[in-house]
Amino acid sequence: MYEARQNKEKVSRRIDGGSGMARQRVKRKNLEVIKATNSECKSNHIQRKIGFEFETGWMVSKKKGFLTSILSKDKFIRLSKGEKIYNGSGFTVEADDASKSESEIEFVTPPFNSISEVQNKVQNIVLFVKDCLLQSADQSNEPDKSFIFQEKYKIIPPNNYDVIKAGPQVTFGLPLNGVPNIIKGISPIKNSEYRPNLNGLVILIKSYLNNGKQNEYARPLYYPKEITDSGMLARTNFVKLFKIAIERDNLNKYGFFEKYILWKDKKDNHLSIEDWLGMFNDFDLDNRVFGNGILAEEEVGARIEINSNTPYSKARKYALSKSDYRITIKKWLTEIYNESKDILSTIKDSESLGALGEKTEEVADNQEGIFELRKKQGNKIPHTQWLKFAKKWTHKVAKLSHADINDLSSAIRPNIIEMNPTDTDSQETWD
């Protein structure tokens, strides 16, 4: 069995062919998968500049300890989320939650600062996929094509594994006025040209609320951060993003008295709580942020009604009866305005929702929020396209921050990010 840690071992390289996935075996002397330095693979590292994750759907478990093996017939157990499996050159192989009882393989990169880093490191991931995972599954004699990796981990590929498909995620720092270039279909606020950062923040929040909107035909969300799956997830919390928005747009939080009596000439420069909540008047603010509740996939499946026009009604009713997620839209928005706390980052199983607190990333000499693109999560792409995807998004982030593609940390930040409509509307550019 091939062990990825043995770089000098001769291994066969799998080359994808045409229909039927015809293959050639080509001997390679050295597999370009080298253990990364500790600085590249820190636990719970912050992905800056631009980083990538690829969730694969390949199940992984690890051998039990001696005592637990004696007490149980099962020899393998699931891994914890984020548990390291392998350190590569410019990436780590980690465990991610697939369900309550299973874990899957995920590739995670450190922050990249240039297109050349992206080219070299993501290519290393692709080589690892071809020369380790696919190779080992091909050579397995097990009925399910499972194999042991590094004498400790059991990896099980899906039924059809000629390519490894993954839901990609992208993490990067972004000025709030660049949000409308990524999240489409939400109307701007009034006078958005004078409040571009506040506009971006409102659009981001509305994308959350659209996903959580109550719908009798919708299933409950499987986990809280699924509320971000059609857009971006804010890893910097919303209290910090609100502070950034009002500072960038030179706004002041005035109450009723100041607004109408003391500073009549400064109405365009104020933002009262009424103004703030009024920007979301297309939602019922007394409704919950998670309008359909949250329920694990296994629990939803157990409560689906057969032969019903509303197949999720039992699951929704049960999910809404749970007390963990009874947060109203008004409560969430008010806490943000008061700069008190981002409630979503404090709820049960919040995971990466606002998990970085007030941490920001320097983008063109300004501290900006850190975001995770999740709208590509449901669009599984084969490993043969991962590098192309990564390069496209590196170019996109560079364009959004007006940065040099060879040095994403250097950029000239204009007051408002302006992009050519033909660029922003191009599926080739943005998908």
Side-chain angles (χ1 to χ4, degrees):
M1 181 59 60
Y2 167 76
E3 294 286 347
R5 67 176 183 271
Q6 295 174 316
N7 291 328
K8 294 185 179 180
E9 180 182 358
K10 291 184 178 181
V11 297
S12 298
R13 182 177 184 179
R14 167 180 172 146
I15 299 180
D16 297 334
S19 60
M21 302 303 292
R23 303 165 193 164
Q24 282 184 307
R25 304 290 181 185
V26 180
K27 291 292 183 180
R28 300 180 69 247
K29 290 184 178 181
N30 293 293
L31 175 62
E32 293 180 26
V33 179
I34 306 168
K35 286 190 176 181
T37 63
N38 289 334
S39 61
E40 285 181 306
C41 303
K42 288 181 181 177
S43 177
N44 298 322
H45 64 268
I46 300 172
Q47 292 179 314
R48 298 174 299 174
K49 281 72 175 185
I50 183 167
F52 300 93
E53 297 179 17
F54 299 94
E55 297 179 2
T56 66
W58 282 49
M59 298 298 108
V60 61
S61 55
K62 65 179 179 181
K63 286 185 178 180
K64 287 184 174 180
F66 177 73
L67 292 178
T68 52
S69 297
I70 294 176
L71 298 174
S72 174
K73 293 182 180 179
D74 295 330
K75 295 182 179 180
F76 294 87
I77 57 174
R78 73 188 296 276
L79 283 73
S80 302
K81 180 179 176 62
E83 189 170 339
K84 300 294 187 295
I85 299 169
Y86 178 77
N87 283 345
S89 178
F91 69 94
T92 59
V93 183
E94 302 179 5
D96 194 21
D97 293 335
S99 68
K100 286 187 176 180
S101 59
E102 295 179 306
S103 48
E104 65 178 335
I105 285 178
E106 178 178 51
F107 293 92
V108 180
T109 77
F112 297 137
N113 192 45
S114 67
I115 189 65
S116 60
E117 282 187 294
V118 172
Q119 170 75 42
N120 295 333
K121 304 306 183 182
V122 177
Q123 182 62 32
N124 283 346
I125 298 178
V126 175
L127 288 173
F128 179 86
V129 166
K130 290 181 178 180
D131 295 331
C132 178
L133 299 185
L134 294 175
Q135 168 93 8
S136 299
D138 284 346
Q139 295 178 351
S140 172
N141 294 320
E142 299 296 329
D144 60 359
K145 306 303 286 185
S146 63
F147 57 93
I148 303 300
F149 177 67
Q150 291 194 334
E151 301 179 356
K152 181 179 180 180
Y153 303 102
K154 182 179 181 180
I155 297 176
I156 305 175
N159 291 332
N160 299 314
Y161 67 88
D162 284 331
V163 294
I164 292 184
K165 291 187 175 182
Q169 299 174 27
V170 189
T171 305
F172 49 89
L174 179 72
L176 284 168
N177 57 15
V179 170
N181 289 315
I182 295 178
I183 300 177
K184 304 290 186 178
I186 298 179
S187 300
I189 64 173
K190 184 179 179 181
N191 297 324
S192 60
E193 64 272 25
Y194 302 111
R195 301 177 173 187
N197 293 282
L198 187 65
N199 178 59
L201 178 61
V202 170
I203 287 175
L204 178 61
I205 291 175
K206 284 186 175 183
S207 73
Y208 279 46
L209 299 179
N210 284 336
N211 284 346
K213 200 169 186 178
Q214 189 171 4
N215 182 342
E216 65 174 323
Y217 293 98
R219 66 163 173 81
L221 300 180
Y222 293 145
Y223 43 85
K225 72 177 181 181
E226 194 177 6
I227 200 171
T228 71
D229 278 3
S230 69
M232 289 194 304
L233 180 153
R235 300 190 70 182
T236 301
N237 71 37
F238 277 97
V239 170
K240 180 61 176 179
L241 295 178
F242 181 79
K243 292 177 181 177
I244 291 174
I246 61 175
E247 178 185 350
R248 294 283 190 278
D249 294 342
N250 195 28
L251 299 172
N252 293 293
K253 296 194 301 179
Y254 297 144
F256 180 89
F257 180 75
E258 294 89 347
K259 171 182 175 182
Y260 290 105
I261 299 176
L262 297 183
W263 285 286
K264 290 183 179 180
D265 59 332
K266 295 185 179 180
K267 287 183 180 180
D268 291 339
N269 199 39
H270 86 275
L271 181 67
S272 69
I273 182 64
E274 294 83 8
D275 295 330
W276 169 245
L277 295 178
M279 294 175 182
F280 302 91
N281 58 12
D282 42 345
F283 297 91
D284 184 339
L285 300 187
D286 291 325
N287 282 343
R288 299 183 188 181
V289 175
F290 300 100
N292 301 299
I294 296 174
L295 203 60
E297 185 173 0
E298 307 93 278
E299 294 182 272
V300 170
R303 289 177 169 78
I304 289 179
E305 298 175 41
I306 307 300
N307 300 322
S308 170
N309 291 328
T310 55
Y312 292 109
S313 60
K314 281 186 178 179
R316 288 181 64 256
K317 184 177 180 180
Y318 178 73
L320 291 170
S321 71
K322 301 177 75 174
S323 61
D324 296 318
Y325 307 107
R326 294 179 180 175
I327 307 162
T328 66
I329 297 172
K330 185 175 183 179
K331 176 68 172 175
W332 181 39
L333 296 176
T334 300
E335 293 287 350
I336 292 173
Y337 179 87
N338 291 335
E339 300 179 14
S340 174
K341 63 180 177 180
D342 179 0
I343 300 177
L344 293 198
S345 65
T346 67
I347 60 176
K348 180 182 177 182
D349 299 324
S350 60
E351 296 186 82
S352 48
L353 290 171
L356 298 181
E358 297 207 351
K359 289 184 182 294
T360 54
E361 173 63 25
E362 185 171 343
V363 178
D365 298 326
N366 283 289
Q367 293 298 319
E368 307 290 1
I370 301 171
F371 302 92
E372 179 181 297
L373 180 86
R374 294 188 58 82
K375 68 178 181 178
K376 301 300 180 185
Q377 184 70 6
N379 181 24
K380 307 293 185 183
I381 59 175
H383 70 274
T384 52
Q385 295 179 19
W386 292 359
L387 180 57
K388 180 181 178 182
F389 174 89
K391 289 168 69 176
K392 275 189 176 182
W393 268 90
T394 304
H395 280 280
K396 179 176 181 176
V397 170
K399 183 174 287 188
L400 281 171
S401 57
H402 292 254
D404 183 349
I405 194 67
N406 296 308
D407 182 7
L408 296 178
S409 63
S410 65
I412 300 175
R413 183 180 186 277
N415 291 328
I416 300 177
I417 290 181
E418 296 179 354
M419 301 185 68
N420 188 320
T422 59
D423 290 338
T424 59
D425 295 338
S426 168
Q427 188 165 351
E428 177 70 15
T429 301
W430 299 95
D431 292 354

